[in-house]
Amino acid sequence: MAQSKALEQPIEALDETTLELRAGRRDRWLTSLTFLVLFSIWVALTGSGLWEPLIKPIFLPSPVAVFEAFQNLLEGGYQGRSLGYHVGISFYRFATAFSFCILVGVPLGLLLGMSRPIRAVIEPPIEAIRPVPKLALLPLFLIWFGIGNLSKIVVIAAPVFPIIVISAMQAVRSVSQKKIQAAQALGAGTLTVFRRVVLPASLPGIFTGIRVSLSIGVTMLVGAELTATSEGIAWMALTAAEYLSTDIVLVGVLIMAIMGYTLDRIVRALEARLVHWSGKD
Amino acid sequence: MSIEPFDLNGRDRRNGAKLAVEHLSKSFGSGTSAVQALAPLDLSVRTGDFLCVVGPSGCGKTTLLNIVGGFERPTSGRALIDDRPITKPGRERGVVFQQGALFNWMSVVENVAFGPRSCGVPAEKARQHARELLEMVGLAGFAHRYPYELSGGMQQRVGIARALANDPEILLMDEPFAALDQQTRELLQEEIRGIWRRTGKTILWITHSIEEALFLATHIVVMTARPGRVKAAFRSRFSESPDPLIAATPEFTAAKRQIVELLRSESQRAQSLEATV
Ligand SMILES: Nc1ncnc2c1ncn2[C@@H]1O[C@H](COP(=O)(O)OP(=O)(O)OP(=O)(O)O)[C@@H](O)[C@H]1O
Ligand SMILES: [Mg+2]
């Protein structure tokens, strides 16, 4: 049906956009298929009440059990707090850390990229602390910033901040010299060159830094809620693991996965809108 | 019709030259790894000249243009515009690069309007002017496309329109058509000749193509292998001919042979030079 309709259309109708739409639809279909297969394997291994599980529920509960655990958590909360509260507090920690990194890190990176003296002052210390495993600093952060939210926010920001700063700096430094010269020859002053050439040309690199650090930030959430707290979605999963409540652990893990995935999608969508021209020189 | 040898530096040319290059030299690096790109070189370009520079690869043509553009400083000597030394880029010198110099985050019309806007023209007025220029280079329908949606030839047209938007006194072009196919190149050569005739702009044009030089130039400078000096200079009248098939005439072929032979000996020298580096 769809095919005969396509044949009736004039050739010009099959333009770039239509072809791209079709390819996109096919890609999405294939992706859904992957998830369907993975889910089926999960169902098959755990039985889901239909047959004997091949893996003990304590190692891998069935999807049905996980869904039930999710419903129970929605109704009864976890350890005196609602599920929404746990998710909310984790998101608050993550979002605060990330907003700080972007709002301060991107301008700082741009500045470092533009000015050699400032780079000489600030880049070496940032490079020096970059390889230090930030989780190892957690005890220190607890002493410095207390057991409240601040120490958690600092732990998440610690690895994200240098990545965002350095990627913004590199982005500025790799802006094509030719384009800057072209702008200068057209009468643009330093400020115009920065605002209309360097800044937009750096955006793709800045976005890459943000996307890379996104998953690192979600990972650090687990580290941040490892100790000295009794709330948060990662904390929930960690304590549930102590009682071998694998179903609750999985609910927590899935929520964090969805959070990471959604954020990545949002950034990608923004990227596609704002830097659609990237890499097409 | 033919080409005739020409003294680019005669006193009558020096005085009132639009662009003058005096004993200009440029070295890159220092010590034993120093590379001398330009030997002391002298040139003068008068208002309305269309000066083409041809020379073996690596002889310093781009370096010369970068110095005139104000992007690089000479090691010695100086370049002057209207008797004022060039120290930095300026809007009276419009530059067209070979490729990859368009702002790919801006639409075509914004690219062309960039110059006037940077010089304080209100945005709407600059865009209006840009649309007129785009019409002139045959891209009226592409104002709101992005550079990546255009072919190589169309992108070069945008580059030319962008450089013209500031109404520069002199246009500097570094092999602007080198990356284009033969047909597109010929078409654009016709166009640039038309623009030059209509506007009377002074043009400094670098090219690898001797035909292009003969077809476009009023003056042709042949450079030596690195370090680049002026090997020969010619006054050419082929560009004045209304005959679009001028390239097929025996005079044109003879002129071409004359320059080819000059260049061949230099290219051989350039190769032996590269071998020793
Ligand atoms: N930034 C630089 N640093 C060091 N050497 C350079 C630099 N720019 C150019 N050179 C050298 O100077 C010489 C002249 O280079 P230039 O680019 O001006 O040549 P060209 O005549 O434009 O060559 P082509 O025809 O291949 O474009 C070359 O030997 C090149 O290696
Ligand atoms: Mg060159």
Side-chain angles (χ1 to χ4, degrees):
Chain A
M1 181 60 204
Q3 240 186 3
S4 68
K5 211 173 164 191
L7 284 175
E8 281 163 24
Q9 283 171 351
I11 301 266
E12 301 92 285
L14 293 174
D15 57 22
E16 194 74 19
T17 341
T18 322
L19 290 175
E20 183 54 41
L21 267 176
R22 284 188 188 180
R25 221 175 294 148
R26 189 202 53 210
D27 290 354
R28 274 193 296 282
W29 197 80
L30 286 172
T31 311
S32 330
L33 199 66
T34 313
F35 282 107
L36 199 70
V37 169
L38 287 174
F39 189 75
S40 309
I41 293 174
W42 186 12
V43 170
L45 287 176
T46 56
S48 300
L50 302 172
W51 57 78
E52 272 302 293
L54 299 170
I55 295 180
K56 280 196 192 136
I58 200 163
F59 292 117
L60 186 65
S62 72
V64 178
V66 172
F67 185 71
E68 277 169 3
F70 176 63
Q71 270 188 326
N72 289 338
L73 284 169
L74 271 184
E75 278 158 25
Y78 186 77
Q79 306 236 340
R81 298 282 197 184
S82 74
L83 186 63
Y85 179 84
H86 286 298
V87 173
I89 195 84
S90 289
F91 186 74
Y92 164 75
R93 289 164 177 166
F94 176 85
T96 312
F98 226 79
S99 311
F100 170 81
C101 289
I102 291 176
L103 289 178
V104 178
V106 170
L108 181 64
L110 294 174
L111 198 66
L112 287 179
M114 296 288 289
S115 157
R116 208 175 147 152
I118 298 179
R119 191 154 63 234
V121 172
I122 299 181
E123 193 191 353
I126 290 184
E127 284 288 0
I129 57 163
R130 194 146 75 135
V132 177
K134 301 305 179 304
L135 215 45
L137 299 176
L138 181 60
L140 210 53
F141 290 157
L142 287 174
I143 295 171
W144 289 346
F145 305 110
I147 56 167
N149 276 329
L150 184 60
S151 57
K152 279 76 186 171
I153 292 167
V154 173
V155 177
I156 299 171
V160 170
F161 189 72
I163 295 177
I164 289 189
V165 173
I166 304 269
S167 65
M169 180 190 82
Q170 301 285 25
V172 169
R173 297 195 65 192
S174 54
V175 173
S176 149
Q177 204 56 36
K178 226 194 245 176
K179 294 192 206 288
I180 293 177
Q181 291 180 344
Q184 288 171 337
L186 289 165
T190 316
L191 206 69
T192 308
V193 169
F194 176 75
R195 199 172 54 82
R196 298 198 69 202
V197 179
V198 174
L199 194 61
S202 311
L203 270 185
I206 293 171
F207 264 110
T208 307
I210 290 177
R211 253 191 312 111
V212 168
S213 52
L214 214 51
S215 66
I216 293 174
V218 179
T219 310
M220 287 308 282
L221 189 61
V222 182
E225 296 182 351
L226 205 55
T227 54
T229 186
S230 53
E231 45 197 31
I233 198 71
W235 170 81
M236 180 188 91
L238 286 161
T239 41
E242 285 173 29
Y243 300 107
L244 296 180
S245 317
T246 318
D247 46 357
I248 298 182
V249 173
L250 270 180
V251 172
V253 168
L254 283 175
I255 288 177
M256 282 187 279
I258 289 168
M259 190 168 125
Y261 181 81
T262 313
L263 286 168
D264 186 67
R265 284 283 123 181
I266 292 172
V267 174
R268 271 176 201 273
L270 268 177
E271 200 175 359
R273 266 194 81 85
L274 291 177
V275 298
H276 56 94
W277 43 266
S278 167
K280 300 171 182 168
D281 219 342
Chain B
M1 202 168 279
S2 65
I3 55 173
E4 56 214 43
F6 189 76
D7 179 12
L8 263 179
N9 300 304
R11 172 159 308 154
D12 57 317
R13 284 189 66 79
R14 295 252 105 182
N15 296 331
K18 182 88 219 160
L19 167 70
V21 169
E22 294 177 350
H23 308 300
L24 193 75
S25 81
K26 175 78 184 178
S27 305
F28 291 103
S30 58
T32 49
S33 64
V35 173
Q36 188 169 10
L38 282 178
L41 172 115
D42 287 276
L43 279 182
S44 56
V45 186
R46 295 189 73 111
T47 303
D49 280 359
F50 196 134
L51 185 104
C52 280
V53 178
V54 295
S57 184
C59 75
K61 302 182 293 293
T62 298
T63 307
L64 170 67
L65 200 107
N66 280 340
I67 293 171
V68 174
F71 307 129
E72 263 175 50
R73 290 300 192 88
T75 306
S76 70
R78 54 187 193 160
L80 306 143
I81 286 274
D82 289 326
D83 292 326
R84 288 189 314 275
I86 292 169
T87 53
K88 56 182 191 338
R91 53 173 297 198
E92 77 286 352
R93 281 159 284 146
V95 184
V96 181
F97 294 87
Q98 191 176 346
Q99 60 185 145
L102 292 180
F103 306 132
N104 40 4
W105 50 90
M106 288 179 198
S107 65
V108 164
V109 65
E110 286 299 339
N111 262 279
V112 180
F114 183 91
R117 283 186 66 179
S118 299
C119 298
V121 176
E124 220 15 77
K125 206 174 154 209
R127 288 192 198 106
Q128 185 51 42
H129 182 43
R131 278 189 283 270
E132 287 161 22
L133 282 164
L134 284 171
E135 191 157 334
M136 187 183 87
V137 296
L139 288 176
F142 292 86
H144 297 289
R145 298 300 186 94
Y146 282 81
Y148 68 81
E149 299 176 290
L150 271 52
S151 72
M154 289 151 95
Q155 291 182 7
Q156 272 326 77
R157 288 196 176 124
V158 176
I160 293 167
R162 185 176 70 171
L164 286 171
N166 265 349
D167 199 19
E169 293 157 22
I170 177 165
L171 279 171
L172 309 174
M173 314 241 202
D174 189 359
E175 303 191 42
F177 300 159
L180 305 178
D181 63 89
Q182 186 66 25
Q183 282 82 13
T184 312
R185 196 183 316 162
E186 280 171 12
L187 209 72
L188 285 182
Q189 282 167 5
E190 285 276 9
E191 267 177 41
I192 206 76
R193 207 159 76 154
I195 289 170
W196 172 71
R197 281 189 186 141
R198 275 201 306 281
T199 59
K201 297 252 180 264
T202 312
I203 300 182
L204 178 61
W205 183 284
I206 284 162
T207 178
H208 263 117
S209 161
I210 298 164
E211 277 132 357
E212 186 168 278
L214 286 169
F215 186 73
L216 293 175
T218 58
H219 300 80
I220 299 174
V221 168
V222 182
M223 281 175 75
T224 65
R226 184 169 62 82
R229 283 176 295 107
V230 175
K231 185 176 174 84
F234 298 99
R235 174 82 174 91
S236 167
R237 306 210 178 264
F238 293 111
S239 61
E240 289 159 21
S241 161
D243 179 7
L245 296 175
I246 186 81
T249 61
E251 291 89 348
F252 194 95
T253 316
K256 187 178 160 190
R257 174 168 304 143
Q258 201 177 343
I259 297 178
V260 166
E261 259 150 29
L262 281 171
L263 273 178
R264 184 176 295 152
S265 64
E266 282 306 319
S267 296
Q268 276 159 1
R269 219 162 66 74
Q271 258 167 22
S272 64
L273 208 91
E274 296 303 327
T276 58
V277 168

